[in-house]
Amino acid sequence: MAGKAVEKRPEVDPRDEPSAEWGWHGSFPKATRIAGWLSAVILLLMIKGNHENNTENVWLVGLAAFIVLLLLLDLRKSRTAWRK
């Protein structure tokens, strides 16, 4: 039965995290993902412009691809987190 018991997370020590004393202490995973997808789309929309050469386009596509890769890795991590 010990394996099915719910683990209790340790409390956040206010000496390490001063903001834990006065309120909510966490992150914004949904807003972060939305901002990431918006950033990638905006970078790809910036390709249409008055560029002299394709160096700017390579950077824009590369950064957008990197952001999408990170978002997909985060999605995979969140889907498999319950298995661990």
Side-chain angles (χ1 to χ4, degrees):
M1 289 284 189
K4 294 188 179 189
V6 177
E7 284 185 33
K8 185 176 179 184
R9 290 187 174 179
E11 295 288 325
V12 177
D13 187 7
R15 291 175 294 185
D16 295 334
E17 306 283 341
S19 61
E21 289 180 341
W22 50 263
W24 178 76
H25 189 75
S27 62
F28 301 98
K30 192 172 186 180
T32 304
R33 289 181 190 115
I34 291 170
W37 286 110
L38 279 174
S39 298
V41 168
I42 289 170
L43 284 171
L44 292 175
L45 289 174
M46 288 173 61
I47 290 175
K48 183 174 175 21
N50 58 351
H51 304 300
E52 296 289 326
N53 56 23
N54 284 329
T55 305
E56 296 92 351
N57 295 340
V58 171
W59 277 98
L60 290 171
V61 171
L63 288 173
F66 181 68
I67 291 172
V68 168
L69 175 69
L70 290 177
L71 287 167
L72 292 175
L73 289 174
D74 181 55
L75 179 66
R76 181 175 175 234
K77 184 179 78 168
S78 67
R79 282 190 176 180
T80 59
W82 61 273
R83 295 182 195 169
K84 294 181 181 179

